[in-house]
Amino acid sequence: MSISSLDPLDFEIVRELQEDGRRAFREVARNLSVPEATIRTRVKRLQDQGIVQILAFTNPSKLGHAKLALLFVNVAPQDHERAVDTLGRWPEVSYLSTTMGTADICVQVLCRDDDSLWALQQRVRSLPGIRDVRMLQEVKVHKIRFTIPPIEPES
């Protein structure tokens, strides 16, 4: 199911949960004037389809000596899927996307210290088909929020 196939109620449910992922289904139902069972069923469907995932974000700068970094990876086209599959299984990887532009893959990682960050970068470099890895260390997260786009263009 693509985002365009969500109906207005699905969008409103997602918006409610984006404000507070711990919000009770009863409260969401009350806010949207629908039965609680409808919310429960729709959230389950959205989760099963991989559209919604309810989780806790941590602030890496509050974790002490944790090192947060972005790796911009260029990979040979024939090795792209294998690289994505491999990186997606690494516990240090918190975000992984295919990109267009100066890199093929963007990888956000969280490591315990500089040594483990260096070792991870070297592991990425050693993967088959990797052509280049550029790294930017993030020192402070100011905002992290993944939201759905507005249903209608903003005026």
Side-chain angles (χ1 to χ4, degrees):
M1 173 180 267
S2 70
I3 196 164
S4 62
S5 63
L6 299 179
D7 70 17
L9 180 58
D10 290 329
F11 274 99
E12 291 306 316
I13 292 168
V14 171
R15 288 188 201 294
E16 287 277 326
L17 294 174
Q18 284 177 331
E19 287 179 24
D20 181 358
R22 297 180 308 142
R23 184 170 285 159
F25 289 162
R26 180 177 323 154
E27 182 181 347
V28 174
R30 187 173 42 248
N31 291 346
L32 300 179
S33 301
V34 297
E36 183 179 347
T38 298
I39 301 301
R40 189 173 314 286
T41 300
R42 288 193 178 222
V43 169
K44 171 126 177 48
R45 176 178 48 86
L46 293 167
Q47 288 175 313
D48 290 348
Q49 293 174 335
I51 295 170
V52 169
Q53 182 180 14
I54 299 171
L55 50 93
F57 280 118
T58 59
N59 184 341
S61 64
K62 305 284 185 183
L63 295 176
H65 299 288
K67 302 295 180 178
L68 184 65
L70 290 172
L71 281 69
F72 299 98
V73 180
N74 285 310
V75 61
Q78 68 273 16
D79 295 307
H80 182 271
E81 290 302 316
R82 179 172 38 178
V84 167
D85 181 59
T86 299
L87 292 166
R89 287 185 270 117
W90 292 3
E92 302 92 345
V93 173
S94 56
Y95 178 82
L96 177 64
S97 64
T98 295
T99 57
M100 297 189 304
T102 60
D104 301 313
I105 302 170
C106 177
V107 188
Q108 186 178 55
V109 298
L110 185 62
C111 297
R112 71 181 167 276
D113 54 29
D114 286 331
D115 289 339
S116 62
L117 182 56
W118 173 258
L120 184 128
Q121 180 181 354
Q122 297 312 309
R123 281 174 56 205
V124 174
R125 289 182 188 281
S126 71
L127 292 175
I130 298 301
R131 295 178 172 166
D132 182 49
V133 178
R134 288 172 288 121
M135 182 170 59
L136 292 173
Q137 188 169 345
E138 296 180 73
V139 294
K140 188 172 188 180
V141 175
H142 300 280
K143 180 178 181 178
I144 185 166
R145 182 172 170 95
F146 297 99
T147 59
I148 57 174
I151 297 173
E152 298 166 6
E154 294 179 14
S155 42

